[in-house]
């Protein structure tokens, strides 16, 4: 059985876009489905994709020792088992918990694409 670490951005742009509601939906869905033993929920810092927020990063727990100085809470690391979701809403978050966390099936059509240009550029 896979274990996960789910992080919802708490940067100012993501918060303005509704990341608090996304985090609440994740917390509620994890609780409803009794998935807390399989998934730890965190609030990560800004991932730098503000124009794509709210942003969510899910990493499969592999037993890697956690480095307290690692940038993993505010940067995509490119690790195996790392999934990035963008433009998240509470409804999308509930789906991600139901499929990715509960069934170990990442929701491909909701993946974020970090190389997507900022519309302000």
């Amino acid at each position: 059985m896979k274990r996960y670490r789910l992080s919802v951005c708490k940067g100012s742009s993501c918060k303005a876009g509704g990341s608090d509601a996304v985090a609440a939906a994740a917390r509620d869905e994890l609780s409803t489905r009794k998935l807390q033993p399989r998934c730890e929920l965190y609030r990560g810092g800004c991932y730098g994709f503000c124009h794509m927020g709210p942003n969510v990063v899910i990493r499969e727990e592999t037993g890697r020792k956690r480095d307290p100085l690692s940038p993993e809470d505010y940067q995509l690391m490119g690790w195996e088992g790392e999934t990035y979701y963008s433009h998240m809403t509470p409804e999308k978050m509930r789906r991600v918990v139901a499929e990715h966390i509960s069934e170990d099936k990442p929701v491909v059509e909701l993946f974020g694409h970090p190389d997507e240009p900022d519309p302000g550029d």
Side-chain angles (χ1 to χ4, degrees):
M1 173 183 322
K2 292 183 180 181
R3 292 182 38 88
Y4 298 96
R5 178 182 171 95
L6 186 156
S7 181
V8 179
C9 181
K10 64 179 178 185
S12 59
S13 292
C14 283
K15 282 181 75 94
S19 69
D20 288 345
V22 170
R27 182 187 63 241
D28 294 347
E29 195 68 16
L30 288 168
S31 177
T32 298
R33 293 177 176 273
K34 299 181 180 6
L35 292 170
Q36 298 98 329
R38 290 191 61 195
C39 183
E40 295 180 65
L41 175 63
Y42 291 88
R43 295 300 303 267
C46 178
Y47 290 95
F49 306 113
C50 305
H51 64 290
M52 297 171 64
N55 295 294
V56 171
V57 175
I58 298 178
R59 293 190 177 101
E60 186 178 334
E61 287 289 353
T62 61
R64 173 179 39 257
K65 186 174 165 118
R66 197 158 153 71
D67 177 355
L69 301 176
S70 171
E72 67 186 89
D73 285 331
Y74 56 87
Q75 181 177 320
L76 294 179
M77 303 300 288
W79 293 336
E80 186 173 332
E82 176 182 81
T83 304
Y84 166 61
Y85 293 100
S86 65
H87 305 289
M88 293 299 288
T89 64
E91 295 76 23
K92 289 177 182 178
M93 188 73 258
R94 285 189 279 277
R95 180 176 175 202
V96 166
V97 170
E99 295 179 29
H100 189 148
I101 305 300
S102 183
E103 299 175 9
D104 299 320
K105 296 177 182 172
V107 185
V108 176
E109 64 266 24
L110 298 181
F111 281 6
H113 302 280
D115 54 351
E116 183 178 303
D118 184 331
D121 289 347

PDB file of all heavy atoms in Angstrom, residues 37 49 55 80 85-86 88 111:
ATOM      1  N   PRO A  37      -3.852   7.607   7.543  1.00  0.00           N
ATOM      2  CA  PRO A  37      -2.669   6.754   7.712  1.00  0.00           C
ATOM      3  C   PRO A  37      -1.843   6.616   6.432  1.00  0.00           C
ATOM      4  O   PRO A  37      -0.664   6.313   6.487  1.00  0.00           O
ATOM      5  CB  PRO A  37      -3.248   5.395   8.118  1.00  0.00           C
ATOM      6  CG  PRO A  37      -4.600   5.695   8.681  1.00  0.00           C
ATOM      7  CD  PRO A  37      -5.087   6.896   7.899  1.00  0.00           C
ATOM      8  N   PHE A  49       4.788  28.801  -9.459  1.00  0.00           N
ATOM      9  CA  PHE A  49       3.865  28.715 -10.588  1.00  0.00           C
ATOM     10  C   PHE A  49       2.564  29.432 -10.220  1.00  0.00           C
ATOM     11  O   PHE A  49       1.469  28.906 -10.394  1.00  0.00           O
ATOM     12  CB  PHE A  49       3.596  27.246 -10.947  1.00  0.00           C
ATOM     13  CG  PHE A  49       4.839  26.456 -11.192  1.00  0.00           C
ATOM     14  CD1 PHE A  49       5.219  25.444 -10.338  1.00  0.00           C
ATOM     15  CD2 PHE A  49       5.658  26.747 -12.272  1.00  0.00           C
ATOM     16  CE1 PHE A  49       6.377  24.712 -10.557  1.00  0.00           C
ATOM     17  CE2 PHE A  49       6.817  26.026 -12.498  1.00  0.00           C
ATOM     18  CZ  PHE A  49       7.188  25.012 -11.638  1.00  0.00           C
ATOM     19  N   ASN A  55      -1.870  25.462  -6.469  1.00  0.00           N
ATOM     20  CA  ASN A  55      -0.989  24.354  -6.832  1.00  0.00           C
ATOM     21  C   ASN A  55      -0.952  23.299  -5.724  1.00  0.00           C
ATOM     22  O   ASN A  55      -0.964  23.630  -4.537  1.00  0.00           O
ATOM     23  CB  ASN A  55       0.431  24.873  -7.081  1.00  0.00           C
ATOM     24  CG  ASN A  55       0.471  25.795  -8.269  1.00  0.00           C
ATOM     25  OD1 ASN A  55       0.249  25.374  -9.387  1.00  0.00           O
ATOM     26  ND2 ASN A  55       0.750  27.078  -8.029  1.00  0.00           N
ATOM     27  N   GLU A  80      10.917  10.596  -8.707  1.00  0.00           N
ATOM     28  CA  GLU A  80       9.963   9.569  -9.091  1.00  0.00           C
ATOM     29  C   GLU A  80       8.849   9.575  -8.049  1.00  0.00           C
ATOM     30  O   GLU A  80       9.096   9.698  -6.855  1.00  0.00           O
ATOM     31  CB  GLU A  80      10.650   8.199  -9.138  1.00  0.00           C
ATOM     32  CG  GLU A  80       9.759   7.116  -9.669  1.00  0.00           C
ATOM     33  CD  GLU A  80      10.497   5.803  -9.858  1.00  0.00           C
ATOM     34  OE1 GLU A  80      11.710   5.810 -10.089  1.00  0.00           O
ATOM     35  OE2 GLU A  80       9.812   4.768  -9.763  1.00  0.00           O
ATOM     36  N   TYR A  85      -0.202  19.105  -9.584  1.00  0.00           N
ATOM     37  CA  TYR A  85      -1.535  19.475 -10.051  1.00  0.00           C
ATOM     38  C   TYR A  85      -1.669  20.990  -9.977  1.00  0.00           C
ATOM     39  O   TYR A  85      -1.266  21.609  -8.985  1.00  0.00           O
ATOM     40  CB  TYR A  85      -2.618  18.844  -9.173  1.00  0.00           C
ATOM     41  CG  TYR A  85      -2.709  17.347  -9.260  1.00  0.00           C
ATOM     42  CD1 TYR A  85      -2.148  16.530  -8.286  1.00  0.00           C
ATOM     43  CD2 TYR A  85      -3.381  16.728 -10.309  1.00  0.00           C
ATOM     44  CE1 TYR A  85      -2.243  15.149  -8.341  1.00  0.00           C
ATOM     45  CE2 TYR A  85      -3.482  15.347 -10.381  1.00  0.00           C
ATOM     46  CZ  TYR A  85      -2.908  14.569  -9.400  1.00  0.00           C
ATOM     47  OH  TYR A  85      -3.017  13.195  -9.469  1.00  0.00           O
ATOM     48  N   SER A  86      -2.258  21.593 -11.023  1.00  0.00           N
ATOM     49  CA  SER A  86      -2.438  23.048 -11.041  1.00  0.00           C
ATOM     50  C   SER A  86      -3.907  23.401 -11.212  1.00  0.00           C
ATOM     51  O   SER A  86      -4.737  22.539 -11.499  1.00  0.00           O
ATOM     52  CB  SER A  86      -1.618  23.663 -12.174  1.00  0.00           C
ATOM     53  OG  SER A  86      -2.092  23.224 -13.430  1.00  0.00           O
ATOM     54  N   MET A  88      -6.183  24.070  -9.122  1.00  0.00           N
ATOM     55  CA  MET A  88      -7.009  23.194  -8.298  1.00  0.00           C
ATOM     56  C   MET A  88      -8.197  23.936  -7.692  1.00  0.00           C
ATOM     57  O   MET A  88      -8.132  25.119  -7.404  1.00  0.00           O
ATOM     58  CB  MET A  88      -6.168  22.570  -7.188  1.00  0.00           C
ATOM     59  CG  MET A  88      -5.118  21.595  -7.706  1.00  0.00           C
ATOM     60  SD  MET A  88      -5.806  20.188  -8.604  1.00  0.00           S
ATOM     61  CE  MET A  88      -6.530  19.282  -7.255  1.00  0.00           C
ATOM     62  N   PHE A 111      -3.080  17.120 -14.279  1.00  0.00           N
ATOM     63  CA  PHE A 111      -1.661  17.427 -14.067  1.00  0.00           C
ATOM     64  C   PHE A 111      -1.375  18.870 -14.481  1.00  0.00           C
ATOM     65  O   PHE A 111      -1.900  19.361 -15.485  1.00  0.00           O
ATOM     66  CB  PHE A 111      -0.760  16.526 -14.909  1.00  0.00           C
ATOM     67  CG  PHE A 111      -0.557  15.134 -14.364  1.00  0.00           C
ATOM     68  CD1 PHE A 111      -1.240  14.665 -13.258  1.00  0.00           C
ATOM     69  CD2 PHE A 111       0.329  14.278 -14.983  1.00  0.00           C
ATOM     70  CE1 PHE A 111      -1.048  13.374 -12.777  1.00  0.00           C
ATOM     71  CE2 PHE A 111       0.538  12.991 -14.520  1.00  0.00           C
ATOM     72  CZ  PHE A 111      -0.149  12.544 -13.417  1.00  0.00           C
TER      73      PHE A 111
END
